[in-house]
Amino acid sequence: MIYETKFLLSLIVTLIIEVPILIVFVKYTIKPQHFSIRKIIMVGIIASTLTLPYLWFVLIAYLPANYYILLGEIFVILTEALIYYQILDLKLHKALYISLIANIISILVGILIF
């Protein structure tokens, strides 16, 4: 399987995993009445589609191979948390928590699949 195909499959898996996690945390635990599910879905899609290409195509060229996964995922978690913080108006620690949980689960499922 070519690298770009693996990327597209990873993006789909990431969206299937991370968007529902974001919905559950934001809509049903943190801000139940504040946002529509549609807006939360759009924010989740935006966050993942903005960060995953950097992880797969940009950061890989600039980070040391032995630290690539760790540093790359830290970048993704922080960036997605900032997107959640800004657009969904979450407290920063809650945005970080959601991003961390969603990305850990996404990584684990990705390891199992690929």
Side-chain angles (χ1 to χ4, degrees):
M1 184 178 323
I2 62 172
Y3 191 73
E4 291 81 2
T5 303
K6 286 182 183 178
F7 165 76
L8 288 175
L9 291 174
S10 293
L11 179 59
I12 292 167
V13 169
T14 297
L15 292 172
I16 289 170
I17 293 166
E18 292 185 17
V19 171
I21 291 170
L22 183 63
I23 292 168
V24 168
F25 275 104
V26 174
K27 186 70 176 170
Y28 299 109
T29 62
I30 296 173
K31 294 194 174 215
Q33 306 301 322
H34 198 66
F35 291 111
S36 69
I37 290 179
R38 184 177 180 174
K39 182 170 184 174
I40 298 167
I41 290 170
M42 291 308 297
V43 172
I45 291 170
I46 289 167
S48 291
T49 57
L50 287 176
T51 56
L52 201 63
Y54 278 93
L55 182 65
W56 278 68
F57 298 105
V58 177
L59 296 177
I60 197 164
Y62 297 101
L63 296 176
N66 28 340
Y67 298 112
Y68 164 69
I69 300 276
L70 176 64
L71 295 175
E73 284 299 332
I74 289 171
F75 164 80
V76 167
I77 289 166
L78 293 175
T79 303
E80 289 180 2
L82 287 174
I83 292 169
Y84 302 157
Y85 169 75
Q86 287 291 321
I87 299 175
L88 296 176
D89 194 33
L90 300 176
K91 293 184 188 268
L92 188 55
H93 71 279
K94 290 182 179 182
L96 280 167
Y97 177 76
I98 294 168
S99 182
L100 179 67
I101 296 300
N103 279 282
I104 287 173
I105 293 171
S106 183
I107 291 166
L108 293 174
V109 170
I111 290 170
L112 291 173
I113 291 174
F114 298 108

Short mmCIF file of all heavy atoms in Angstrom, two decimals, residues 14-49 80 83-90 95 98-99 102:
data_model
loop_
_atom_site.label_atom_id
_atom_site.label_comp_id
_atom_site.label_asym_id
_atom_site.label_seq_id
_atom_site.Cartn_x
_atom_site.Cartn_y
_atom_site.Cartn_z
N THR A 14 -9.00 8.24 11.93
CA THR A 14 -8.89 9.31 12.92
C THR A 14 -10.21 10.04 13.09
O THR A 14 -10.66 10.28 14.21
CB THR A 14 -7.78 10.30 12.50
OG1 THR A 14 -6.53 9.60 12.48
CG2 THR A 14 -7.69 11.47 13.46
N LEU A 15 -10.85 10.37 11.98
CA LEU A 15 -12.13 11.08 12.05
C LEU A 15 -13.21 10.21 12.68
O LEU A 15 -14.01 10.70 13.50
CB LEU A 15 -12.56 11.54 10.65
CG LEU A 15 -11.69 12.63 10.03
CD1 LEU A 15 -12.09 12.85 8.58
CD2 LEU A 15 -11.76 13.92 10.82
N ILE A 16 -13.24 8.94 12.32
CA ILE A 16 -14.25 8.03 12.87
C ILE A 16 -14.09 7.88 14.38
O ILE A 16 -15.07 7.71 15.11
CB ILE A 16 -14.17 6.65 12.17
CG1 ILE A 16 -14.69 6.78 10.73
CG2 ILE A 16 -14.94 5.58 12.93
CD1 ILE A 16 -14.45 5.55 9.87
N ILE A 17 -12.87 7.98 14.88
CA ILE A 17 -12.61 7.82 16.31
C ILE A 17 -12.71 9.14 17.07
O ILE A 17 -13.40 9.24 18.08
CB ILE A 17 -11.23 7.17 16.53
CG1 ILE A 17 -11.26 5.74 16.00
CG2 ILE A 17 -10.83 7.21 18.00
CD1 ILE A 17 -9.91 5.12 15.86
N GLU A 18 -12.01 10.14 16.58
CA GLU A 18 -11.87 11.37 17.36
C GLU A 18 -13.12 12.26 17.37
O GLU A 18 -13.42 12.89 18.38
CB GLU A 18 -10.65 12.17 16.88
CG GLU A 18 -9.35 11.45 17.20
CD GLU A 18 -8.11 12.26 16.85
OE1 GLU A 18 -8.21 13.48 16.66
OE2 GLU A 18 -7.03 11.64 16.80
N VAL A 19 -13.84 12.31 16.27
CA VAL A 19 -15.04 13.17 16.23
C VAL A 19 -16.10 12.70 17.23
O VAL A 19 -16.62 13.52 18.00
CB VAL A 19 -15.58 13.31 14.79
CG1 VAL A 19 -16.93 14.01 14.78
CG2 VAL A 19 -14.58 14.08 13.92
N PRO A 20 -16.44 11.40 17.28
CA PRO A 20 -17.41 10.97 18.30
C PRO A 20 -16.93 11.22 19.74
O PRO A 20 -17.74 11.56 20.61
CB PRO A 20 -17.57 9.47 18.04
CG PRO A 20 -17.24 9.31 16.60
CD PRO A 20 -16.14 10.30 16.34
N ILE A 21 -15.64 11.07 19.98
CA ILE A 21 -15.11 11.35 21.32
C ILE A 21 -15.32 12.83 21.65
O ILE A 21 -15.75 13.18 22.74
CB ILE A 21 -13.62 10.96 21.42
CG1 ILE A 21 -13.49 9.43 21.37
CG2 ILE A 21 -12.99 11.52 22.69
CD1 ILE A 21 -12.06 8.93 21.22
N LEU A 22 -15.03 13.69 20.69
CA LEU A 22 -15.24 15.13 20.89
C LEU A 22 -16.72 15.42 21.16
O LEU A 22 -17.05 16.20 22.07
CB LEU A 22 -14.75 15.89 19.65
CG LEU A 22 -14.83 17.41 19.71
CD1 LEU A 22 -13.94 17.97 20.81
CD2 LEU A 22 -14.42 18.00 18.35
N ILE A 23 -17.61 14.79 20.41
CA ILE A 23 -19.05 14.99 20.61
C ILE A 23 -19.45 14.59 22.02
O ILE A 23 -20.14 15.34 22.72
CB ILE A 23 -19.87 14.19 19.57
CG1 ILE A 23 -19.68 14.77 18.18
CG2 ILE A 23 -21.35 14.17 19.95
CD1 ILE A 23 -20.22 13.89 17.06
N VAL A 24 -19.04 13.42 22.44
CA VAL A 24 -19.41 12.93 23.76
C VAL A 24 -18.93 13.87 24.86
O VAL A 24 -19.69 14.25 25.75
CB VAL A 24 -18.89 11.49 24.00
CG1 VAL A 24 -19.02 11.09 25.46
CG2 VAL A 24 -19.63 10.52 23.10
N PHE A 25 -17.67 14.25 24.79
CA PHE A 25 -17.13 15.12 25.84
C PHE A 25 -17.76 16.50 25.84
O PHE A 25 -18.14 17.01 26.89
CB PHE A 25 -15.60 15.25 25.72
CG PHE A 25 -14.86 14.14 26.39
CD1 PHE A 25 -14.29 13.13 25.65
CD2 PHE A 25 -14.72 14.11 27.77
CE1 PHE A 25 -13.60 12.09 26.27
CE2 PHE A 25 -14.03 13.09 28.39
CZ PHE A 25 -13.47 12.08 27.64
N VAL A 26 -17.88 17.11 24.65
CA VAL A 26 -18.39 18.49 24.61
C VAL A 26 -19.89 18.54 24.81
O VAL A 26 -20.40 19.28 25.65
CB VAL A 26 -17.98 19.18 23.28
CG1 VAL A 26 -18.63 20.55 23.17
CG2 VAL A 26 -16.47 19.31 23.19
N LYS A 27 -20.62 17.77 24.05
CA LYS A 27 -22.08 17.86 24.07
C LYS A 27 -22.71 17.26 25.32
O LYS A 27 -23.68 17.78 25.84
CB LYS A 27 -22.65 17.16 22.81
CG LYS A 27 -24.13 17.31 22.64
CD LYS A 27 -24.52 18.72 22.27
CE LYS A 27 -26.00 18.82 22.01
NZ LYS A 27 -26.45 20.17 21.89
N TYR A 28 -22.14 16.16 25.80
CA TYR A 28 -22.81 15.45 26.88
C TYR A 28 -22.14 15.58 28.24
O TYR A 28 -22.69 15.10 29.22
CB TYR A 28 -22.98 13.98 26.49
CG TYR A 28 -23.82 13.84 25.25
CD1 TYR A 28 -23.25 13.45 24.04
CD2 TYR A 28 -25.17 14.16 25.26
CE1 TYR A 28 -24.02 13.35 22.89
CE2 TYR A 28 -25.94 14.05 24.12
CZ TYR A 28 -25.36 13.66 22.94
OH TYR A 28 -26.12 13.58 21.80
N THR A 29 -20.97 16.18 28.32
CA THR A 29 -20.34 16.32 29.64
C THR A 29 -19.94 17.75 29.97
O THR A 29 -20.16 18.20 31.07
CB THR A 29 -19.10 15.40 29.79
OG1 THR A 29 -18.12 15.77 28.83
CG2 THR A 29 -19.46 13.95 29.62
N ILE A 30 -19.35 18.46 29.02
CA ILE A 30 -18.80 19.78 29.34
C ILE A 30 -19.79 20.91 29.10
O ILE A 30 -20.03 21.73 29.97
CB ILE A 30 -17.49 20.02 28.55
CG1 ILE A 30 -16.45 19.00 29.00
CG2 ILE A 30 -16.98 21.43 28.77
CD1 ILE A 30 -15.18 19.02 28.19
N LYS A 31 -20.34 20.99 27.90
CA LYS A 31 -21.25 22.09 27.55
C LYS A 31 -22.50 21.53 26.87
O LYS A 31 -22.69 21.69 25.67
CB LYS A 31 -20.54 23.07 26.61
CG LYS A 31 -19.39 23.79 27.27
CD LYS A 31 -18.96 24.95 26.44
CE LYS A 31 -17.90 25.72 27.21
NZ LYS A 31 -17.98 27.12 27.01
N PRO A 32 -23.36 20.88 27.62
CA PRO A 32 -24.50 20.17 27.02
C PRO A 32 -25.41 21.03 26.14
O PRO A 32 -25.86 20.56 25.12
CB PRO A 32 -25.27 19.63 28.22
CG PRO A 32 -24.38 19.77 29.39
CD PRO A 32 -23.31 20.75 29.05
N GLN A 33 -25.69 22.24 26.51
CA GLN A 33 -26.65 23.06 25.77
C GLN A 33 -25.99 24.06 24.84
O GLN A 33 -26.67 24.74 24.09
CB GLN A 33 -27.56 23.81 26.75
CG GLN A 33 -28.24 22.94 27.77
CD GLN A 33 -29.12 21.87 27.13
OE1 GLN A 33 -29.77 22.11 26.14
NE2 GLN A 33 -29.11 20.68 27.71
N HIS A 34 -24.69 24.18 24.90
CA HIS A 34 -24.01 25.29 24.25
C HIS A 34 -23.84 25.14 22.73
O HIS A 34 -23.99 26.11 22.01
CB HIS A 34 -22.66 25.51 24.93
CG HIS A 34 -22.05 26.84 24.66
ND1 HIS A 34 -22.61 28.00 25.11
CD2 HIS A 34 -20.95 27.18 23.98
CE1 HIS A 34 -21.86 29.01 24.73
NE2 HIS A 34 -20.85 28.54 24.04
N PHE A 35 -23.51 23.96 22.25
CA PHE A 35 -23.21 23.79 20.83
C PHE A 35 -24.05 22.69 20.21
O PHE A 35 -24.39 21.71 20.86
CB PHE A 35 -21.74 23.41 20.62
CG PHE A 35 -20.79 24.53 20.94
CD1 PHE A 35 -19.97 24.44 22.05
CD2 PHE A 35 -20.72 25.65 20.15
CE1 PHE A 35 -19.10 25.47 22.36
CE2 PHE A 35 -19.85 26.68 20.45
CZ PHE A 35 -19.04 26.58 21.55
N SER A 36 -24.30 22.86 18.92
CA SER A 36 -24.99 21.81 18.18
C SER A 36 -23.98 20.71 17.85
O SER A 36 -22.77 20.96 17.77
CB SER A 36 -25.59 22.37 16.89
OG SER A 36 -24.55 22.71 15.98
N ILE A 37 -24.49 19.52 17.66
CA ILE A 37 -23.62 18.40 17.28
C ILE A 37 -22.96 18.71 15.93
O ILE A 37 -21.79 18.39 15.72
CB ILE A 37 -24.42 17.08 17.24
CG1 ILE A 37 -24.77 16.68 18.68
CG2 ILE A 37 -23.63 15.98 16.55
CD1 ILE A 37 -25.58 15.42 18.80
N ARG A 38 -23.68 19.37 15.05
CA ARG A 38 -23.13 19.72 13.73
C ARG A 38 -21.88 20.59 13.86
O ARG A 38 -20.88 20.35 13.18
CB ARG A 38 -24.19 20.44 12.92
CG ARG A 38 -23.77 20.75 11.53
CD ARG A 38 -24.90 21.39 10.77
NE ARG A 38 -24.45 21.67 9.42
CZ ARG A 38 -25.23 22.11 8.49
NH1 ARG A 38 -26.51 22.31 8.73
NH2 ARG A 38 -24.76 22.35 7.30
N LYS A 39 -21.91 21.58 14.75
CA LYS A 39 -20.74 22.44 14.93
C LYS A 39 -19.57 21.64 15.54
O LYS A 39 -18.42 21.81 15.13
CB LYS A 39 -21.07 23.63 15.82
CG LYS A 39 -19.86 24.55 15.99
CD LYS A 39 -20.19 25.85 16.66
CE LYS A 39 -18.95 26.73 16.69
NZ LYS A 39 -19.23 28.05 17.20
N ILE A 40 -19.87 20.79 16.48
CA ILE A 40 -18.81 19.98 17.11
C ILE A 40 -18.18 19.05 16.07
O ILE A 40 -16.95 18.89 16.02
CB ILE A 40 -19.37 19.18 18.30
CG1 ILE A 40 -19.89 20.13 19.38
CG2 ILE A 40 -18.30 18.26 18.88
CD1 ILE A 40 -20.73 19.47 20.45
N ILE A 41 -19.00 18.46 15.21
CA ILE A 41 -18.48 17.60 14.14
C ILE A 41 -17.57 18.40 13.22
O ILE A 41 -16.47 17.95 12.88
CB ILE A 41 -19.64 16.95 13.35
CG1 ILE A 41 -20.35 15.91 14.21
CG2 ILE A 41 -19.13 16.32 12.04
CD1 ILE A 41 -21.64 15.39 13.60
N MET A 42 -18.00 19.58 12.84
CA MET A 42 -17.19 20.41 11.94
C MET A 42 -15.85 20.78 12.58
O MET A 42 -14.81 20.74 11.92
CB MET A 42 -17.96 21.67 11.53
CG MET A 42 -19.14 21.40 10.63
SD MET A 42 -18.76 20.39 9.17
CE MET A 42 -17.60 21.43 8.32
N VAL A 43 -15.86 21.12 13.86
CA VAL A 43 -14.62 21.46 14.55
C VAL A 43 -13.70 20.24 14.62
O VAL A 43 -12.49 20.36 14.41
CB VAL A 43 -14.92 22.03 15.96
CG1 VAL A 43 -13.64 22.19 16.77
CG2 VAL A 43 -15.64 23.36 15.84
N GLY A 44 -14.27 19.08 14.90
CA GLY A 44 -13.45 17.86 14.95
C GLY A 44 -12.83 17.54 13.60
O GLY A 44 -11.66 17.16 13.52
N ILE A 45 -13.61 17.70 12.53
CA ILE A 45 -13.09 17.45 11.18
C ILE A 45 -11.99 18.46 10.85
O ILE A 45 -10.92 18.09 10.33
CB ILE A 45 -14.22 17.49 10.14
CG1 ILE A 45 -15.13 16.27 10.32
CG2 ILE A 45 -13.67 17.54 8.71
CD1 ILE A 45 -16.42 16.32 9.50
N ILE A 46 -12.22 19.72 11.16
CA ILE A 46 -11.22 20.76 10.89
C ILE A 46 -9.92 20.47 11.64
O ILE A 46 -8.83 20.53 11.07
CB ILE A 46 -11.78 22.15 11.25
CG1 ILE A 46 -12.85 22.56 10.24
CG2 ILE A 46 -10.67 23.19 11.32
CD1 ILE A 46 -13.68 23.75 10.65
N ALA A 47 -10.04 20.16 12.93
CA ALA A 47 -8.84 19.92 13.74
C ALA A 47 -8.01 18.77 13.19
O ALA A 47 -6.79 18.89 13.03
CB ALA A 47 -9.24 19.65 15.19
N SER A 48 -8.66 17.66 12.87
CA SER A 48 -7.92 16.49 12.37
C SER A 48 -7.36 16.71 10.98
O SER A 48 -6.23 16.29 10.68
CB SER A 48 -8.81 15.25 12.38
OG SER A 48 -9.08 14.87 13.70
N THR A 49 -8.14 17.34 10.11
CA THR A 49 -7.64 17.55 8.75
C THR A 49 -6.57 18.62 8.68
O THR A 49 -5.81 18.66 7.70
CB THR A 49 -8.78 17.87 7.76
OG1 THR A 49 -9.49 19.01 8.21
CG2 THR A 49 -9.72 16.70 7.60
N GLU A 80 -4.62 20.62 18.28
CA GLU A 80 -6.06 20.33 18.33
C GLU A 80 -6.69 20.92 19.58
O GLU A 80 -7.81 21.43 19.53
CB GLU A 80 -6.30 18.83 18.24
CG GLU A 80 -6.01 18.28 16.85
CD GLU A 80 -6.24 16.79 16.71
OE1 GLU A 80 -6.67 16.14 17.70
OE2 GLU A 80 -5.99 16.26 15.62
N ILE A 83 -7.37 24.50 18.97
CA ILE A 83 -8.54 24.66 18.10
C ILE A 83 -9.82 24.49 18.92
O ILE A 83 -10.74 25.30 18.81
CB ILE A 83 -8.48 23.67 16.92
CG1 ILE A 83 -7.33 24.05 15.98
CG2 ILE A 83 -9.82 23.62 16.17
CD1 ILE A 83 -6.99 23.00 14.93
N TYR A 84 -9.87 23.47 19.75
CA TYR A 84 -11.05 23.26 20.61
C TYR A 84 -11.24 24.44 21.56
O TYR A 84 -12.36 24.90 21.79
CB TYR A 84 -10.93 21.97 21.42
CG TYR A 84 -10.75 20.71 20.63
CD1 TYR A 84 -10.17 19.59 21.20
CD2 TYR A 84 -11.15 20.60 19.30
CE1 TYR A 84 -9.99 18.40 20.49
CE2 TYR A 84 -10.97 19.43 18.58
CZ TYR A 84 -10.39 18.34 19.18
OH TYR A 84 -10.22 17.18 18.47
N TYR A 85 -10.15 24.90 22.13
CA TYR A 85 -10.17 26.03 23.07
C TYR A 85 -10.73 27.29 22.40
O TYR A 85 -11.59 27.97 22.96
CB TYR A 85 -8.75 26.25 23.59
CG TYR A 85 -8.52 27.52 24.36
CD1 TYR A 85 -8.98 27.64 25.67
CD2 TYR A 85 -7.82 28.57 23.80
CE1 TYR A 85 -8.76 28.80 26.39
CE2 TYR A 85 -7.59 29.73 24.51
CZ TYR A 85 -8.06 29.84 25.80
OH TYR A 85 -7.84 30.99 26.51
N GLN A 86 -10.23 27.57 21.20
CA GLN A 86 -10.64 28.79 20.50
C GLN A 86 -12.06 28.71 19.94
O GLN A 86 -12.86 29.60 20.15
CB GLN A 86 -9.66 29.09 19.35
CG GLN A 86 -8.32 29.59 19.79
CD GLN A 86 -8.41 30.99 20.39
OE1 GLN A 86 -9.16 31.84 19.89
NE2 GLN A 86 -7.67 31.22 21.44
N ILE A 87 -12.35 27.66 19.21
CA ILE A 87 -13.63 27.60 18.50
C ILE A 87 -14.77 27.15 19.39
O ILE A 87 -15.88 27.67 19.29
CB ILE A 87 -13.52 26.70 17.25
CG1 ILE A 87 -12.46 27.27 16.29
CG2 ILE A 87 -14.87 26.58 16.55
CD1 ILE A 87 -12.18 26.40 15.09
N LEU A 88 -14.51 26.20 20.26
CA LEU A 88 -15.58 25.70 21.13
C LEU A 88 -15.63 26.41 22.48
O LEU A 88 -16.46 26.11 23.31
CB LEU A 88 -15.42 24.19 21.35
CG LEU A 88 -15.56 23.33 20.10
CD1 LEU A 88 -15.28 21.87 20.42
CD2 LEU A 88 -16.94 23.49 19.48
N ASP A 89 -14.70 27.34 22.68
CA ASP A 89 -14.67 28.14 23.90
C ASP A 89 -14.60 27.28 25.16
O ASP A 89 -15.28 27.52 26.15
CB ASP A 89 -15.89 29.06 23.95
CG ASP A 89 -15.75 30.16 24.99
OD1 ASP A 89 -14.62 30.61 25.22
OD2 ASP A 89 -16.78 30.53 25.60
N LEU A 90 -13.77 26.24 25.09
CA LEU A 90 -13.56 25.37 26.24
C LEU A 90 -12.45 25.94 27.11
O LEU A 90 -11.60 26.67 26.63
CB LEU A 90 -13.16 23.96 25.79
CG LEU A 90 -14.13 23.21 24.91
CD1 LEU A 90 -13.52 21.88 24.49
CD2 LEU A 90 -15.45 22.98 25.61
N ALA A 95 -9.87 21.30 27.04
CA ALA A 95 -9.52 21.09 25.63
C ALA A 95 -8.31 20.17 25.51
O ALA A 95 -8.29 19.27 24.66
CB ALA A 95 -9.24 22.44 24.96
N ILE A 98 -9.46 16.51 26.35
CA ILE A 98 -10.20 15.90 25.25
C ILE A 98 -9.25 15.51 24.13
O ILE A 98 -9.32 14.40 23.60
CB ILE A 98 -11.29 16.85 24.72
CG1 ILE A 98 -12.37 17.07 25.78
CG2 ILE A 98 -11.91 16.30 23.43
CD1 ILE A 98 -13.33 18.21 25.45
N SER A 99 -8.37 16.42 23.77
CA SER A 99 -7.42 16.14 22.69
C SER A 99 -6.51 14.97 23.05
O SER A 99 -6.25 14.10 22.21
CB SER A 99 -6.59 17.39 22.41
OG SER A 99 -5.70 17.16 21.36
N ALA A 102 -8.65 11.65 22.95
CA ALA A 102 -9.01 11.30 21.57
C ALA A 102 -7.80 10.80 20.79
O ALA A 102 -7.88 9.81 20.06
CB ALA A 102 -9.63 12.51 20.88
#
